[in-house]
Amino acid sequence: MKMHVIDSHTEGEPTRVVLTGGPELGEGPLWERRQRFADEYDHVRRRLILEPRGSEAMVGALLCEPTRDDCDAAVIFFNNAGFLGMCGHGMIGVAVTLSYLDRLSPGEIRVETPVGVVAVELTSPNEATVENVPSYSYLRDVTVQVEGLGEVTGDVAWGGNWFFLTENSPCEIVLSNAQELTRAASSVRTSLAEQGITGPNGEEIDHIEFFSAPGEPEAPEVLQAHSRNFVLCPGNAYDRSPCGTGTSAKLACLAERGALAAGETWVQESVIGSRFVTSYRTNDAGEVIARISGRAFICSESTLVWQPNDPFANGIA
Ligand code: PYC
């Protein structure tokens, strides 16, 4: 078995776009095709994402035919733990990958995802802006008791995935503290589940975001960030980028609190110091539509091979 893939990173966070050899998911709405992927081809997700061919931080992107006439493409994102709703860094990675392949020119396209339609504008061969699905703050100032941390207070919000966002970081948000931040965020996620805090339909709050003051820009031409974050993803990998859907959730919380007006710029910095430049508008329904701009770079173009006698063909679980 072989698959042709292109790997890129968006502000440090990897994306693997599957070009050939991916599962045939048939027709139907994208959320239905994502379910078929999960039910019938989860071994393909594991083959693509887990070691020895992938890594815990890798996000896969399967390009599909869109079902909607007003969309140019469709994408299903997945990681080491399962499937994502949307993925901001991944969508920027997809746009830059398609540009690298000469399949996308500067300009805007509409892309279907399992959780709605996003607009993607390629602004240069290495830069794109994503206008996300509507984001919203669902619960404000929720306090959870977390073993080893005590009371942690934050908001629950949707930005294409579910997030708990808190300023109560257990330590400084720097890369050398990644293990401590991972342990703490994982405990917060467990506490949320144990204390019955979910999305409106019982959805697990599976992404945890700690926020702190930003660092100093390392060069005069780099924009000063408004905030720094650490985002723990469902498979316990932390996002090396500032997380597109997580920053969308943050913008919805800021909008809800009257702390950021529509059109104002918010620069979100990640734990490794990379940045997304963002803002939001409201649509006719008054919903927050986040705009996330970032850079992506191609890392490799390769054919992954699975020999029939490989005992770890389906990845190291
Ligand atoms: O950028 O939205 C994002 C994302 C989700 C998980 C990893 N990155």
Side-chain angles (χ1 to χ4, degrees), residues 13 59 84 86-90 161 207 233 239 241 243-246 276:
E13 179 77 349
V59 169
L84 293 164
M86 223 300 279
C87 182
H89 94 266
N161 296 297
H207 291 72
C233 300
D239 198 329
S241 85
C243 192
T245 49
F276 282 154

Side-chain angles (χ1 to χ4, degrees), residues 8 10 28 61 65 73 76 95 103 120-121 131 139 146 218 267 315:
S8 61
T10 303
E65 280 302 311
I76 297 172
R103 292 198 203 164
V120 185
E121 186 185 1
E131 249 201 16
L139 299 171
V146 183
E218 70 277 4
V267 180

Side-chain angles (χ1 to χ4, degrees), residues 26-302:
E27 317 234 303
L30 222 54
W31 61 266
E32 213 171 271
R33 283 187 262 168
R34 179 180 64 174
Q35 197 54 50
R36 197 166 302 135
F37 197 163
D39 292 343
E40 297 172 26
Y41 300 99
D42 199 50
H43 62 286
V44 178
R45 175 189 65 77
R46 296 201 309 269
R47 286 181 167 209
L48 281 160
I49 299 297
L50 301 186
E51 292 180 14
R53 292 165 185 82
S55 82
E56 62 164 17
M58 184 69 78
V59 169
L62 182 71
L63 303 175
C64 309
E65 280 302 311
T67 52
R68 295 171 53 130
D69 291 343
D70 61 349
C71 286
D72 305 283
V75 187
I76 297 172
F77 291 108
F78 44 98
N79 66 8
N80 59 340
F83 292 82
L84 293 164
M86 223 300 279
C87 182
H89 94 266
M91 198 59 89
I92 293 170
V94 167
V96 165
T97 296
L98 294 177
S99 161
Y100 170 77
L101 293 169
D102 279 333
R103 292 198 203 164
L104 188 64
S105 322
E108 192 172 288
I109 57 168
R110 284 166 61 80
V111 183
E112 208 174 337
T113 76
V115 294
V117 175
V118 305
V120 185
E121 186 185 1
L122 183 74
T123 47
S124 86
N126 292 107
E127 287 167 302
T129 295
V130 176
E131 249 201 16
N132 200 1
V133 296
S135 301
Y136 63 96
S137 161
Y138 174 58
L139 299 171
R140 260 174 83 156
D141 294 328
V142 179
T143 298
V144 271
Q145 282 296 335
V146 183
E147 207 184 316
L149 297 180
E151 285 193 346
V152 176
T153 300
D155 294 351
V156 173
W158 169 257
N161 296 297
W162 280 103
F163 290 85
F164 180 75
L165 307 93
T166 177
E167 301 285 334
N168 300 155
S169 179
C171 56
E172 201 187 344
I173 299 182
V174 289
L175 195 52
S176 53
N177 284 338
Q179 279 193 353
E180 188 179 344
L181 290 159
T182 297
R183 266 195 305 274
S186 174
S187 300
V188 170
R189 182 167 53 210
T190 302
S191 300
L192 286 165
E194 284 173 356
Q195 289 162 47
I197 295 159
T198 66
N201 299 306
E203 300 94 336
E204 185 191 356
I205 310 303
D206 54 4
H207 291 72
I208 308 298
E209 273 191 88
F210 292 131
F211 291 90
S212 73
E216 290 292 317
E218 70 277 4
E221 68 277 8
V222 175
L223 276 178
Q224 170 65 51
H226 295 86
S227 158
R228 176 175 269 241
N229 70 8
F230 173 88
V231 183
L232 191 70
C233 300
N236 258 6
Y238 64 88
D239 198 329
R240 280 67 170 163
S241 85
C243 192
T245 49
T247 303
S248 301
K250 174 73 176 175
L251 295 179
C253 294
L254 290 166
E256 158 88 5
R257 289 169 188 275
L260 188 75
E264 252 182 84
T265 298
W266 180 266
V267 180
Q268 185 65 56
E269 185 175 68
S270 72
V271 64
I272 67 163
S274 60
R275 290 174 174 80
F276 282 154
V277 178
T278 76
S279 63
Y280 75 90
R281 66 176 173 86
T282 49
N283 64 11
D284 294 344
E287 297 166 312
V288 169
I289 306 293
R291 282 174 67 82
I292 309 289
S293 301
R295 303 163 303 167
F297 300 90
I298 302 299
C299 301
S300 71
E301 181 173 359
S302 55

